[in-house]
Each structure stands twice: as C-alpha cells, then as structure tokens.
Amino acid sequence: GAVVSQHPSWVICKSGTSVKIECRSLDFQATTMFWYRQFPKQSLMLMATSNEGSKATYEQGVEKDKFLINHASLTLSTLTVTSAHPEDSSFYICSAIRSGTYSSEQFFGPGTRLTVL
Amino acid sequence: AQRVTQPEKLLSVFKGAPVELKCNYSYSGSPELFWYVQYSRQRLQLLLRHISRESIKGFTADLNKGETSFHLKKPFAQEEDSAMYYCALSGAGGGNKLTFGTGTQLKVEL
C-alpha cells in the first residue's frame, strides 16, 4: 500500500525558534498534500492544502505567515512553524492524495509531536 | 458549511455484541463520506467509504441522505476492533478536503 512518512516524529524547541516538518510520499507521487493539526483528545483540523508547484491554500483562521508550506516536488511537502510559541505545541499530521484511474485516496503520515518550551 | 457530528466520545461494548458508531453530517450538496480508524499508536487509515459499498473487517456503513447519517455497524464486535474511529466528509468539488468528526473511542471488553 501507499506510505507517507513524516520527519521528525517529535521535536522540542525553544519559544521563538522555527521548526520544519517534512512529509514524504514514499512510493507514489502526490500533487496534493494536506496538513492537519490535532490537539489532545480532539479531532483533526485541516490547516492547509499543499499543492505541488504552487502556493498553499490555507483554511480560515490559519496564519499563512506563521505556518509556511512548501511543496517543491511531487513527493515532498514541508511545514515550517515560524517563531514558535507554546500555543503552537500540537500534533501535526500530513496526508497525501494518491490518484487512481477511478478514484483517489488520502494516505496519512504518522504525525509529528511538536512541543514548544 | 460542512460539519460532521459524532455524538459519542466513548463506546464500550462486550466482545460478540453488535456495534454502532453514529455519524451525522451537514452538507448542502452531495457529499462523500468516509470512516477512518486509528489503532493504538498507529496512523490514521481508511476503513471504508460510502461509494465503495463494501464491508471491511466486518464493518458496514450506509449513507442515509434523508437522515444525513453514515453510521458504522458491525454485528459482532471483536477485541481487535478497539480503536478510535473518525467519520469524515468530503464535499463535491472540494479537492479531496476532509472534514472530520470528533471521533469515537471504541472499547471492546472481554
């Protein structure tokens, strides 16, 4: 089956620093990837749609200057949390769309736990 | 606006008992509905989608447009079914964007 990886799996950083999270589709190409955020015991909240070769599309209320998304290749999207603060601490999950002949399916990465001190 | 509601945070059943995880949605057009499952310490994975109309691991779900529901059912719960279940909706023309419900933790007890 299709595999999506995320790196790192967890990261701890100081307040004010920037953190980059990678999302890779390992065995398929994905023109579209998504970034979600999940707070403890809560659902996944879509943050943005990452489009290969073009600007990301952000959901309402998500600061695009704070959460920088780059989708430079068909297998890699990155999310950079700039000037991170404790309230940015969360579980970040990416997904990638694998398009088939008749339908498409969304495959999820394992998530990245971000803790901002 | 689209919304997915899962009214139960936790559902506890005994092994062999029937299971029904409720999901209701709000969407003005023709949605595509999904059930995702997350086993302990594993990533989210697709369980089934309404357009496939198939049974996966004994689970089925029927889209009821009149009641705007997509409940997940299994006649006999197994211990390995214990997991977090999320109902999700994708709107037509939404580019595969998913709106998730808050999830239901299913616990199957022996």
Side-chain angles (χ1 to χ4, degrees):
Chain A
V3 178
V4 176
S5 70
Q6 281 184 243
H7 178 80
S9 55
W10 59 270
V11 57
I12 300 173
C13 70
K14 292 183 178 180
S15 186
T17 60
S18 295
V19 174
K20 180 185 284 188
I21 303 170
E22 293 184 349
C23 177
R24 293 181 185 273
S25 56
L26 297 185
D27 49 1
F28 65 99
Q29 294 183 328
T31 56
T32 302
M33 294 183 175
F34 297 101
W35 287 96
Y36 296 86
R37 186 172 179 176
Q38 186 177 32
F39 290 104
K41 298 189 179 182
Q42 293 188 32
S43 187
L44 284 78
M45 186 184 72
L46 179 64
M47 297 175 65
T49 303
S50 175
N51 305 297
E52 188 270 333
S54 64
K55 290 183 179 180
T57 306
Y58 291 82
E59 295 301 300
Q60 193 173 13
V62 178
E63 299 175 61
K64 60 181 180 182
D65 294 330
K66 178 152 188 71
F67 299 100
L68 301 178
I69 292 173
N70 184 275
H71 194 153
S73 78
L74 288 171
T75 59
L76 173 64
S77 174
T78 60
L79 169 69
T80 301
V81 183
T82 62
S83 187
H85 290 283
E87 58 265 28
D88 299 323
S89 298
S90 190
F91 196 55
Y92 292 87
I93 302 171
C94 75
S95 69
I97 300 291
R98 185 182 70 176
S99 298
T101 305
Y102 302 105
S103 66
S104 60
E105 187 172 340
Q106 194 167 153
F107 292 90
F108 288 82
T112 296
R113 173 78 57 196
L114 170 63
T115 302
V116 185
L117 302 176
Chain B
Q2 54 197 57
R3 189 168 65 242
V4 177
T5 303
Q6 293 179 251
E8 304 140 326
K9 283 190 174 181
L10 173 66
L11 182 64
S12 186
V13 301
F14 287 106
K15 180 181 175 180
V19 174
E20 183 179 47
L21 301 173
K22 297 189 186 304
C23 172
N24 287 89
Y25 67 91
S26 173
Y27 184 69
S28 58
S30 294
E32 187 171 357
L33 274 296
F34 305 82
W35 276 100
Y36 283 85
V37 60
Q38 188 170 29
Y39 300 102
S40 180
R41 300 187 182 187
Q42 293 187 28
R43 69 187 67 196
L44 204 64
Q45 56 185 285
L46 178 66
L47 180 62
L48 52 80
R49 57 203 303 176
H50 90 270
I51 60 172
S52 300
R53 302 180 69 83
E54 57 188 348
S55 173
I56 304 294
K57 298 183 180 182
F59 285 97
T60 59
D62 292 317
L63 179 61
N64 186 322
K65 291 186 177 180
E67 296 181 358
T68 59
S69 68
F70 188 57
H71 304 325
L72 183 67
K73 300 178 183 179
K74 184 170 183 177
F76 308 103
Q78 301 298 314
E79 191 180 0
E80 57 266 27
D81 295 329
S82 295
M84 191 72 173
Y85 292 81
Y86 292 96
C87 183
L89 177 154
S90 177
N96 297 298
K97 286 168 57 174
L98 291 172
T99 298
F100 283 89
T102 49
T104 298
Q105 180 73 47
L106 175 63
K107 184 177 180 182
V108 181
E109 300 183 75
L110 299 175

